[in-house]
Amino acid sequence: MGSAPEVLARRSGGKLIGARVLQYLNGGPLSFQTYQAIVLIVTFLAYTSYHATRKTTSIVKSVLDPQSPDIGLTFFRFRPTNVSESNGLRSVSSKLGAGWAPFNGSDGTSLLGQLDVAFLAVYAFGMYFSGHLGDRCNLRIFLTVGMVGTGLFTSLFGVGYWGNIHNFYYFLVVQMLAGLFQSTGWPSVVAVVGNWFGKSKRGLIMGIWNAHTSIGNIVGSLIASAMLTYGWGWSFVLPGLIIAFIGLVVFLILPVTPESVGADREEDEISYPIKSGEEAAEPLLRQETPIEEKEAVGFLEAWKIPGVAPFALCLFFAKLVAYTFLYWLPFYVSHTAIDGKYLSSGTSGTLSTLFDVGGVLGGILAGHISDRLEARAITAASFMYCAIPALFFYRSYGHVSLIVNGALMFVTGMFVNGPYALITTAVSADLGTHKSLKGNSRALATVTAIIDGTGSIGAAVGPLLTGYISAKSWSAVFTMLMIAALVAGLLLTRLVVAEVTTKIEESRSNRTPESSLDV
């Protein structure tokens, strides 16, 4: 049968072409730290490109349906060229055209909303299957296929511009297939990063690494907005070509595991199971065992891993809050009087990026704090509870001034996106190497897919509910978001109690030797 490293090396096809080139340029074998840097950079670029293609639809909405509210990030003022206010109502006209059938009709906003829901629904359910497949095949090839497929169907949406396609079902099917290929990304990149970094540093490293989500949103918005002057089709085709190109880079250079390239693991990258203590009372960070080659973990078996279900359900509500802000925040800002004035769509979109900036800091803080405390559940729950007053204060006092609005938005983004980033990265990687797996490393993608897939269902539900509730009251929307944040925190109660119990026991055991010496 051969040893585990040999089996993994055979599965990966031996040395990567990119690794061979780098070794030739380096004049010898690459160090473990060099491979880690390659993994971080390549996976960062990969998922940045995923989010860049994901943002294109929200940017092009105002061109497809000029009369619809602009709910996407706006960086270029030329999109809505004329904005006027009359009796509290805004009329928007665009020099880029009179829209694109069938989205420029009276039901255009509804049709565009259906595209969003269809994309997120297929993405969420596709995530479960992607994780299952990812643990059973070469992650490098799997990720490459997903990125090239995403590029293809993102570009096909834009091809409708030159093909003069006005059939709604064409765009619907293309969006659904794009969502299916998009679902391959997250379980794959988290699994690869989890293979290369031990738990002692994983929270901080993944917190910084997770900035690709916000950067991808911003880059995608910039590219899509810039391409509108050449025709909205380019807003899809260019991001599609970029992700396909990065997919080829992944195929050439991404090492899935240290064993696949013959790299020796550092001592601090390997942790061993503790010998005593009940399973429920052990910190999540300590439940990792040496990597062995075993059969991939099944979908239902992965759900039974202690901690997976609570964190997955917690992420459902955490993502519900985060994605409601992603899809509706610019629209909310533009329709809220700040210091007695209404902001333009461009200014509202630019201001809303502070939520993403706060999210980057929140992800880093949550990862660092959870590493120092060795308590993922305590950290995630604490951030979710702090998000409740942050949401309340933003709704109540965001209208006072532009500075107050931006500051409260930044703080809200920090507390909302902090636990979201922690759960989808470090927690998923931790649970994918849980003690109960007895050294089986082939569960990372499945566990990641279960957690993020469940969260993505919440990501689809939140914006959908907001569309209906906001028509009656924005205060009701924020009440819904605060309730969701509370439920997210409460779902981790059992894990929080277990971690607190462990901390108390550790504190007592550390004091015992001192008291015996005194005697």
Side-chain angles (χ1 to χ4, degrees):
M1 295 293 294
S3 64
E6 291 173 345
V7 174
L8 288 172
R10 286 200 300 269
R11 180 181 296 147
S12 66
K15 295 285 186 180
L16 300 172
I17 295 176
R20 291 176 181 174
V21 173
L22 291 175
Q23 286 184 3
Y24 174 78
L25 296 175
N26 188 55
L30 302 177
S31 66
F32 189 85
Q33 291 86 349
T34 300
Y35 278 117
Q36 285 183 314
I38 292 172
V39 168
L40 286 178
I41 293 172
V42 173
T43 54
F44 185 94
L45 291 175
Y47 212 69
T48 295
S49 65
Y50 269 106
H51 260 267
T53 58
R54 197 175 300 176
K55 281 296 298 179
T56 54
T57 306
S58 64
I59 296 300
V60 179
K61 279 179 179 178
S62 63
V63 176
L64 299 178
D65 181 14
Q67 302 304 317
S68 68
D70 178 16
I71 64 175
L73 293 177
T74 308
F75 290 85
F76 291 84
R77 299 293 296 276
F78 59 73
R79 289 175 57 208
T81 54
N82 297 312
V83 179
S84 61
E85 297 185 13
S86 176
N87 298 325
L89 299 176
R90 298 183 177 188
S91 61
V92 181
S93 62
S94 174
K95 292 181 180 179
L96 293 175
W100 190 268
F103 304 109
N104 60 350
S106 60
D107 60 344
T109 303
S110 174
L111 294 178
L112 290 169
Q114 290 179 38
L115 292 184
D116 290 338
V117 173
F119 175 90
L120 289 171
V122 174
Y123 174 81
F125 288 104
M127 187 80 71
Y128 295 122
F129 296 101
S130 294
H132 184 78
L133 291 173
D135 280 324
R136 286 161 175 77
C137 63
N138 189 313
L139 279 173
R140 177 173 58 89
I141 296 176
F142 185 67
L143 183 57
T144 300
V145 172
M147 295 179 73
V148 173
T150 298
L152 172 63
F153 288 102
T154 300
S155 298
L156 283 177
F157 195 105
V159 167
Y161 173 76
W162 293 286
N164 200 30
I165 299 174
H166 298 280
N167 189 317
F168 169 72
Y169 293 101
Y170 169 83
F171 296 105
L172 180 67
V173 171
V174 167
Q175 275 291 83
M176 292 174 69
L177 290 174
L180 182 63
F181 279 96
Q182 281 259 358
S183 68
T184 62
W186 192 242
S188 300
V189 295
V190 172
V192 172
V193 173
N195 287 335
W196 280 92
F197 292 90
K199 293 185 178 180
S200 61
K201 305 173 184 176
R202 187 178 284 165
L204 176 60
I205 291 172
M206 284 190 157
I208 299 172
W209 172 77
N210 193 63
H212 51 50
T213 299
S214 298
I215 293 176
N217 289 339
I218 295 172
V219 170
S221 299
L222 289 170
I223 293 175
S225 297
M227 290 296 103
L228 287 177
T229 53
Y230 304 101
W232 64 261
W234 283 110
S235 296
F236 289 92
V237 171
L238 185 56
L241 293 175
I242 290 174
I243 191 174
F245 173 77
I246 297 178
L248 296 178
V249 174
V250 167
F251 178 78
L252 293 173
I253 199 172
L254 182 64
V256 174
T257 64
E259 292 79 10
S260 67
V261 289
D264 294 327
R265 289 179 179 270
E266 300 281 325
E267 288 186 4
D268 63 348
E269 299 299 331
I270 303 176
S271 56
Y272 299 91
I274 58 180
K275 297 181 180 179
S276 62
E278 295 182 359
E279 183 179 77
E282 295 173 357
L284 186 59
L285 273 69
R286 297 185 180 181
Q287 295 171 341
E288 187 172 23
T289 54
I291 291 179
E292 298 176 9
E293 177 63 16
K294 296 184 178 181
E295 184 179 353
V297 173
F299 180 78
L300 295 178
E301 184 182 353
W303 268 104
K304 297 177 182 178
I305 297 174
V308 168
F311 274 113
L313 294 175
C314 173
L315 189 63
F316 175 94
F317 292 97
K319 252 191 166 182
L320 183 153
V321 179
Y323 269 67
T324 296
F325 271 84
L326 175 66
Y327 280 93
W328 285 98
L329 181 57
F331 175 76
Y332 170 75
V333 173
S334 66
H335 287 70
T336 301
I338 300 177
D339 195 16
K341 301 177 182 179
Y342 287 92
L343 302 180
S344 67
S345 296
T347 303
S348 299
T350 302
L351 179 64
S352 68
T353 60
L354 287 175
F355 183 82
D356 278 325
V357 177
V360 172
L361 178 61
I364 296 173
L365 284 177
H368 178 63
I369 293 171
S370 69
D371 281 345
R372 294 294 298 272
L373 296 179
E374 295 188 351
R376 306 285 198 219
I378 292 175
T379 304
S382 298
F383 268 69
M384 290 310 308
Y385 291 139
C386 289
I388 298 173
L391 288 164
F392 174 80
F393 284 121
Y394 180 68
R395 172 57 180 167
S396 301
Y397 301 102
H399 66 278
V400 173
S401 69
L402 199 61
I403 295 177
V404 172
N405 188 288
L408 291 176
M409 184 189 300
F410 178 89
V411 173
T412 303
M414 183 174 67
F415 287 120
V416 169
N417 283 345
Y420 160 35
L422 178 66
I423 294 172
T424 56
T425 55
V427 168
S428 297
D430 290 348
L431 292 172
T433 52
H434 191 273
K435 174 187 175 183
S436 63
L437 297 172
K438 299 178 181 179
N440 189 352
S441 64
R442 300 181 63 195
L444 272 169
T446 300
V447 169
T448 300
I450 286 175
I451 293 176
D452 199 53
T454 304
S456 296
I457 297 176
V461 171
L464 180 64
L465 291 177
T466 300
Y468 292 103
I469 299 175
S470 63
K472 298 181 179 179
S473 170
W474 274 106
S475 293
V477 171
F478 276 83
T479 300
M480 175 191 74
L481 298 179
M482 287 186 281
I483 293 174
L486 175 62
V487 174
L490 291 176
L491 285 168
L492 298 179
T493 299
R494 185 180 66 83
L495 298 178
V496 169
V497 171
E499 290 182 346
V500 170
T501 301
T502 299
K503 293 299 178 185
I504 294 174
E505 291 178 352
E506 288 179 349
S507 178
R508 289 175 179 174
S509 63
N510 290 336
R511 289 198 300 265
T512 301
E514 297 178 3
S515 59
S516 62
L517 287 174
D518 293 337
V519 175

